[in-house]
Coordinates of all heavy atoms in Angstrom, one line a residue:
Chain A
A500 N -19.6 -7.3 19.3 CA -18.3 -7.9 19.3 C -17.7 -8.0 17.9 O -16.5 -7.9 17.7 CB -18.5 -9.3 19.9
R501 N -18.6 -8.3 16.9 CA -18.1 -8.4 15.6 C -17.5 -7.1 15.1 O -16.5 -7.1 14.4 CB -19.2 -8.9 14.6 CG -19.6 -10.4 14.8 CD -20.5 -10.9 13.8 NE -19.9 -11.0 12.5 CZ -20.5 -11.5 11.4 NH1 -21.8 -11.8 11.5 NH2 -19.8 -11.6 10.3
A502 N -18.3 -6.0 15.4 CA -17.7 -4.7 15.0 C -16.4 -4.4 15.6 O -15.5 -3.9 15.0 CB -18.8 -3.7 15.4
A503 N -16.3 -4.8 16.9 CA -15.0 -4.5 17.6 C -13.9 -5.3 17.0 O -12.8 -4.9 16.9 CB -15.2 -4.8 19.1
I504 N -14.2 -6.6 16.7 CA -13.2 -7.5 16.1 C -12.8 -7.0 14.7 O -11.6 -7.0 14.4 CB -13.7 -9.0 16.1 CG1 -13.8 -9.5 17.5 CG2 -12.8 -9.8 15.2 CD1 -14.5 -10.8 17.6
R505 N -13.8 -6.6 14.0 CA -13.5 -6.1 12.6 C -12.6 -4.8 12.7 O -11.9 -4.6 11.7 CB -14.8 -5.8 11.9 CG -14.7 -6.3 10.4 CD -16.1 -6.2 9.8 NE -17.1 -7.0 10.5 CZ -18.4 -6.7 10.6 NH1 -18.8 -5.6 10.0 NH2 -19.2 -7.5 11.2
A506 N -12.7 -4.1 13.8 CA -12.0 -2.8 13.9 C -10.5 -3.1 14.1 O -9.7 -2.1 13.9 CB -12.6 -1.9 15.0
V507 N -10.2 -4.3 14.5 CA -8.7 -4.6 14.7 C -8.1 -4.7 13.3 O -8.6 -5.5 12.5 CB -8.6 -5.9 15.5 CG1 -7.1 -6.2 15.6 CG2 -9.1 -5.8 16.9
P508 N -7.1 -3.9 13.0 CA -6.6 -3.9 11.7 C -6.0 -5.3 11.3 O -5.4 -5.9 12.1 CB -5.5 -2.8 11.6 CG -5.2 -2.5 13.0 CD -6.4 -2.9 13.9
D509 N -6.1 -5.5 10.0 CA -5.6 -6.8 9.4 C -4.1 -7.0 9.7 O -3.6 -8.1 9.8 CB -5.9 -6.9 8.0 CG -6.5 -8.2 7.7 OD1 -7.1 -8.9 8.6 OD2 -6.5 -8.6 6.5
S510 N -3.4 -5.8 9.7 CA -2.0 -5.9 9.8 C -1.6 -6.6 11.1 O -0.5 -7.2 11.2 CB -1.3 -4.5 9.8 OG -1.8 -3.7 10.9
I511 N -2.4 -6.5 12.1 CA -2.0 -7.2 13.4 C -2.1 -8.7 13.2 O -1.2 -9.4 13.6 CB -3.0 -6.7 14.5 CG1 -2.8 -5.3 14.8 CG2 -2.8 -7.5 15.8 CD1 -1.5 -4.9 15.4
R512 N -3.2 -9.1 12.5 CA -3.3 -10.6 12.3 C -2.2 -11.1 11.5 O -1.6 -12.1 11.8 CB -4.6 -10.8 11.5 CG -5.9 -10.6 12.4 CD -7.1 -10.8 11.5 NE -8.3 -10.4 12.3 CZ -8.7 -9.2 12.3 NH1 -8.2 -8.2 11.6 NH2 -9.8 -8.9 13.0
Q513 N -1.8 -10.3 10.4 CA -0.7 -10.7 9.5 C 0.6 -10.8 10.3 O 1.4 -11.7 10.0 CB -0.6 -9.8 8.3 CG -1.9 -9.8 7.5 CD -1.7 -9.2 6.2 OE1 -0.9 -8.4 5.9 NE2 -2.6 -9.7 5.2
A514 N 0.8 -9.8 11.2 CA 2.0 -9.8 11.9 C 2.1 -11.1 12.7 O 3.2 -11.7 12.8 CB 2.1 -8.6 12.8
A515 N 1.0 -11.4 13.4 CA 1.1 -12.7 14.2 C 1.2 -13.9 13.3 O 2.1 -14.7 13.6 CB -0.2 -12.8 15.0
L516 N 0.4 -14.0 12.2 CA 0.5 -15.1 11.3 C 2.0 -15.2 10.8 O 2.5 -16.3 10.6 CB -0.5 -15.1 10.3 CG -1.9 -15.2 10.7 CD1 -2.8 -15.1 9.4 CD2 -2.2 -16.5 11.4
G517 N 2.5 -14.1 10.4 CA 3.8 -14.1 9.8 C 4.9 -14.6 10.7 O 6.0 -15.0 10.3
L518 N 4.6 -14.5 12.0 CA 5.6 -15.0 13.0 C 5.4 -16.5 13.3 O 6.1 -17.1 14.1 CB 5.4 -14.3 14.4 CG 6.0 -12.9 14.4 CD1 5.6 -12.2 15.7 CD2 7.5 -12.9 14.2
G519 N 4.4 -17.1 12.6 CA 4.2 -18.5 12.8 C 3.2 -18.8 13.9 O 3.2 -19.8 14.5
A520 N 2.3 -17.8 14.2 CA 1.2 -18.1 15.1 C 0.1 -18.7 14.3 O -0.1 -18.4 13.2 CB 0.7 -16.7 15.8
S521 N -0.6 -19.6 14.9 CA -1.7 -20.2 14.3 C -2.9 -19.2 14.3 O -2.8 -18.2 14.9 CB -2.2 -21.5 15.0 OG -2.7 -21.2 16.3
K522 N -3.9 -19.5 13.5 CA -5.0 -18.6 13.4 C -5.6 -18.4 14.7 O -6.0 -17.3 15.1 CB -6.1 -19.2 12.5 CG -6.4 -18.4 11.3 CD -7.4 -19.1 10.4 CE -8.1 -18.1 9.5 NZ -8.9 -18.7 8.5
Q523 N -5.7 -19.5 15.5 CA -6.3 -19.4 16.8 C -5.5 -18.5 17.7 O -6.0 -17.7 18.5 CB -6.5 -20.8 17.4 CG -7.3 -20.8 18.7 CD -7.3 -22.2 19.3 OE1 -7.0 -23.2 18.6 NE2 -7.7 -22.3 20.5
Q524 N -4.2 -18.7 17.7 CA -3.3 -17.9 18.5 C -3.4 -16.4 18.2 O -3.5 -15.6 19.0 CB -1.8 -18.4 18.3 CG -1.6 -19.6 19.1 CD -0.2 -20.2 18.8 OE1 0.3 -20.0 17.7 NE2 0.4 -20.9 19.7
A525 N -3.4 -16.1 16.8 CA -3.6 -14.7 16.4 C -4.9 -14.2 17.0 O -5.0 -13.1 17.5 CB -3.6 -14.7 14.9
A526 N -6.0 -15.0 16.9 CA -7.3 -14.5 17.3 C -7.3 -14.3 18.9 O -7.8 -13.2 19.3 CB -8.3 -15.5 17.0
F527 N -6.7 -15.2 19.6 CA -6.9 -15.1 21.1 C -5.7 -14.3 21.7 O -6.0 -13.7 22.8 CB -7.0 -16.5 21.7 CG -8.3 -17.2 21.5 CD1 -8.6 -17.9 20.4 CD2 -9.4 -16.9 22.4 CE1 -9.9 -18.5 20.2 CE2 -10.6 -17.4 22.2 CZ -10.9 -18.2 21.1
H528 N -4.6 -14.3 21.1 CA -3.5 -13.5 21.7 C -3.6 -12.0 21.3 O -3.2 -11.1 22.1 CB -2.2 -14.0 21.3 CG -1.8 -15.4 21.8 ND1 -0.8 -16.1 21.4 CD2 -2.5 -16.1 22.8 CE1 -0.8 -17.3 22.0 NE2 -1.8 -17.3 22.8
H529 N -4.1 -11.7 20.2 CA -4.1 -10.3 19.7 C -5.4 -9.7 19.5 O -5.8 -8.7 20.0 CB -3.2 -10.3 18.4 CG -1.8 -10.7 18.7 ND1 -0.9 -9.9 19.3 CD2 -1.1 -11.9 18.4 CE1 0.3 -10.5 19.5 NE2 0.1 -11.7 18.9
V530 N -6.2 -10.4 18.6 CA -7.4 -9.8 18.1 C -8.4 -9.6 19.3 O -8.9 -8.6 19.5 CB -8.1 -10.6 17.0 CG1 -9.4 -10.0 16.6 CG2 -7.1 -10.6 15.8
L531 N -8.6 -10.7 20.1 CA -9.5 -10.6 21.2 C -9.2 -9.6 22.2 O -10.0 -8.7 22.6 CB -9.7 -12.0 21.8 CG -10.8 -12.1 22.8 CD1 -12.2 -11.7 22.1 CD2 -10.9 -13.6 23.3

Side-chain angles (χ1 to χ4, degrees):
Chain A
R501 289 187 70 177
I504 289 170
R505 221 172 300 148
V507 175
D509 228 21
S510 64
I511 295 293
R512 292 178 187 87
Q513 295 196 335
L516 293 178
L518 284 172
S521 66
K522 238 176 161 173
Q523 190 185 344
Q524 285 172 327
F527 284 90
H528 294 167
H529 298 284
V530 177
L531 189 58

